[in-house]
Amino acid sequence: ETEVTVSLSEFKNIKFEHHIAMFGKDMNARNSFDNPNNVVPTYLKDKVTIDGEKVTIRLNPESWNSIVLKAE
């Protein structure tokens, strides 16, 4: 895992909306007609923590991630 922390000091009341990731052990994995769901997005809930203006995200190795936050 890789941990990334960002400071969002320009925003107030940051809230976690959702985290979608795609990851796996085989970086050459792909979908095919025989296996159309080999690589699929996964919703994660326990990889993002918010402490005031600091947001910490734990990323799986060799992964694609989309994190959506909401703020005032």
Side-chain angles (χ1 to χ4, degrees), residues 12 30 32 34 36 39 56-57 61:
K12 297 187 187 292
R30 60 184 52 94
S32 66
D34 294 330
V39 180
T56 301
I57 307 154

Side-chain angles (χ1 to χ4, degrees), residues 36-47:
N37 295 315
N38 191 35
V39 180
V40 295
T42 303
Y43 282 85
L44 302 174
K45 294 183 179 180
D46 61 345
K47 300 273 187 174

Side-chain angles (χ1 to χ4, degrees), residues 1-4 16 19 21 23 44-49 56-61 65 67:
E1 261 186 0
T2 299
E3 189 171 281
V4 176
F16 172 77
H19 176 188
F23 54 92
L44 302 174
K45 294 183 179 180
D46 61 345
K47 300 273 187 174
V48 177
T49 55
T56 301
I57 307 154
R58 293 187 331 275
L59 305 171
N60 290 333
N65 294 267
I67 294 100

Side-chain angles (χ1 to χ4, degrees), residues 13-44:
N13 298 323
I14 300 166
K15 305 262 190 257
F16 172 77
E17 288 288 309
H18 64 263
H19 176 188
I20 303 171
M22 293 197 311
F23 54 92
K25 293 182 181 179
D26 181 1
M27 285 303 298
N28 294 314
R30 60 184 52 94
N31 293 339
S32 66
F33 287 111
D34 294 330
N35 193 356
N37 295 315
N38 191 35
V39 180
V40 295
T42 303
Y43 282 85
L44 302 174

